[in-house]
């Protein structure tokens, strides 16, 4: 999809963030393996959007190889949206402000962040009911239990990808607070099938907060 804009030798090509074709840019962070936009939020699959993919794992063949804690290869104010689908739970709690600071930095003023991450409150209800290893739901990777949601997908971690372990987690209240502390506005955080879905915007200078 990105054609000649793809990175070469591990570095993003200089026109990766160009918007001369009139399309808006969505940066999918922690994108995982190429999947023909299957995990991309439906709004960003429309033709007016162009996806740039970022992951810490070069094996995912992303456009940008970087950690969400330091997205230096992505210029400031460069993208119209950041999409993070089951990714922020892979960093330590003390790194979350760094991550949200990076999301805010790379967004243009008025740009949108969309985040999906496990909802520890609904998973905790399942654990309290004694359902730790039973199937909670079936995802693209297979059956997922509460144990996988809290600590990371066991099959991935057992295969040697220890960075797939989960290191932190959120509830509606804590995710809202962290995003607000980072400076995002117009926040909405809801729950859908054991996941939190959060949406917010980078403020426009002089605009509503
Ligand atoms: C559970 S997978 C989700 C992949 C895809 N977003 C999806 O929903 O199918 C988590 C992804 O986050 C990536 N990841 C883990 N830690 C990361 C970090 N610190 N920075 C960037 N990506 C990271 C992993 O390499 C992996 O591709």
């Amino acid at each position: 999809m990105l054609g000649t804009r793809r990175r070469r030798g591990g570095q993003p090509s200089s026109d990766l963030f160009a918007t001369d074709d009139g399309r808006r840019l969505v940066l999918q962070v922690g994108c995982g393996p190429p999947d023909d936009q299957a995990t991309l939020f439906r709004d960003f699959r429309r033709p007016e959007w162009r996806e740039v993919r970022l992951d810490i794992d070069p094996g995912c063949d992303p456009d940008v190889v970087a950690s969400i804690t330091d997205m230096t290869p992505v210029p400031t104010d460069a993208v119209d949206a950041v999409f993070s689908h089951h990714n922020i739970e892979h960093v330590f709690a003390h790194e979350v402000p760094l991550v949200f600071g990076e999301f805010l930095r790379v967004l243009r003023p008025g740009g949108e962040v969309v985040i999906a991450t496990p909802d520890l409150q609904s998973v905790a209800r399942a654990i309290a009911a004694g359902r730790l290893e039973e199937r909670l739901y079936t995802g693209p990777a297979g059956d997922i239990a509460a144990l996988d949601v809290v600590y990371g997908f066991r099959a991935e971690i057992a295969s040697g990808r220890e960075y797939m372990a989960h290191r932190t987690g959120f509830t509606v209240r804590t995710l809202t607070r962290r995003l607000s502390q980072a400076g995002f506005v117009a926040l909405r955080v809801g729950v859908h099938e054991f996941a939190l879905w959060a949406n917010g915007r980078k403020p426009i200078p002089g605009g509503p907060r």
Side-chain angles (χ1 to χ4, degrees):
M1 180 187 62
L2 294 172
T4 57
R5 295 177 192 268
R6 292 187 74 86
R7 78 192 150 82
R8 293 186 175 79
Q11 294 301 316
S13 67
S14 58
D15 63 350
L16 186 63
F17 297 99
T19 51
D20 47 358
D21 64 2
R23 287 186 291 172
R24 285 185 280 171
L25 293 182
V26 52
L27 180 69
Q28 182 174 185
V29 297
C31 57
D35 63 0
D36 291 329
Q37 302 191 332
T39 56
L40 196 58
F41 188 55
R42 61 180 182 280
D43 289 4
F44 301 133
R45 288 186 226 151
R46 296 197 183 123
E48 62 265 31
W49 288 93
R50 179 165 68 81
E51 181 191 18
V52 177
R53 302 169 59 251
L54 177 148
D55 203 286
I56 199 170
D57 178 2
C60 292
D61 193 27
D63 301 299
V64 181
V65 179
S67 171
I68 51 174
T69 56
D70 177 5
M71 302 199 295
T72 300
V74 183
T76 297
D77 294 348
V79 300
D80 301 281
V82 170
F83 179 58
S84 172
H85 189 255
H86 291 284
N87 169 235
I88 58 170
E89 61 274 17
H90 293 283
V91 304
F92 289 112
H94 71 271
E95 296 176 311
V96 170
L98 274 180
V99 171
F100 288 169
E102 280 293 82
F103 289 1
L104 198 73
R105 179 185 68 77
V106 302
L107 277 171
R108 294 202 175 91
E112 179 180 21
V113 67
V114 178
I115 295 172
T117 189
D119 172 32
L120 290 191
Q121 203 162 2
S122 37
V123 176
R125 279 189 211 106
I127 296 171
R131 296 171 57 210
L132 183 64
E133 295 190 359
E134 288 79 358
R135 189 189 76 85
L136 274 189
Y137 63 92
T138 302
D143 288 350
I144 307 292
L147 193 59
D148 302 300
V149 181
V150 175
Y151 293 107
F153 189 45
R154 284 165 288 169
E156 292 262 22
I157 298 166
S159 75
R161 303 176 73 200
E162 291 185 3
Y163 59 89
M164 293 295 276
H166 293 179
R167 298 186 171 100
T168 192
F170 305 87
T171 63
V172 169
R173 195 185 309 170
T174 66
L175 185 57
T176 305
R177 188 191 309 140
R178 294 287 200 160
L179 286 166
S180 174
Q181 285 168 342
F184 285 99
V185 296
L187 287 171
R188 283 180 304 162
V189 182
V191 180
H192 180 69
E193 291 178 349
F194 301 102
L196 298 168
W197 280 86
N199 172 287
R201 292 203 174 267
K202 177 170 177 170
I204 298 171
R209 295 203 53 91

